[in-house]
Amino acid sequence: DVEMPIVILVDPAYPLMPWLMKPYTGALDSSKELFNYRLSKCRMVVECAFGRLKGRWRSLLTRSDLSETNIPIVIAACCVLHNLCESKGETFMAGWEVEANCLASA
């Protein structure tokens, strides 16, 4: 029952900002280690989801000229369309994500 602001999950290389959630660094007690572990698990889920989206929607692989306010709308639309494809039996092919990763790193 704690209200949380929307934040972006990042790695330790990012600066500490009110809208970023990054892991603790340095000497950690068990509660901070647990926080880092859970944050890492969350980041892995998000990275996997974006990998699948980029595999299905190749337009997400390139730089976008959208305004910052429209980017969340486009990502949400891609999620909805992805879920519609899945519900209609057009399953995600594992090779799509591999190919997207190759294209993104080229």
Side-chain angles (χ1 to χ4, degrees):
D1 295 325
V2 176
E3 188 158 334
M4 291 290 298
I6 295 173
V7 295
I8 299 173
L9 308 180
V10 298
D11 63 32
Y14 286 83
L16 186 58
M17 304 292 284
W19 44 275
L20 296 178
M21 187 174 289
K22 63 183 266 179
Y24 289 103
T25 56
L28 307 178
D29 61 24
S30 60
S31 65
K32 289 180 180 176
E33 284 183 9
L34 181 60
F35 172 85
N36 284 358
Y37 172 75
R38 290 179 175 163
L39 182 65
S40 175
K41 284 181 67 171
C42 291
R43 285 188 56 229
M44 289 189 309
V45 169
V46 171
E47 288 171 11
C48 183
F50 271 98
R52 290 177 67 89
L53 288 177
K54 289 189 280 186
R56 191 180 289 273
W57 312 114
R58 300 294 174 86
S59 62
L60 296 177
L61 290 172
T62 59
R63 184 181 181 280
S64 174
D65 290 329
L66 296 171
S67 71
E68 289 179 12
T69 56
N70 288 334
I71 290 173
I73 296 166
V74 170
I75 292 171
C78 289
C79 291
V80 169
L81 291 171
H82 172 81
N83 290 342
L84 280 171
C85 290
E86 291 282 322
S87 70
K88 298 296 181 186
E90 186 183 312
T91 57
F92 182 83
M93 306 297 285
W96 294 351
E97 191 171 353
V98 172
E99 188 177 341
N101 288 336
C102 289
L103 290 171
S105 63

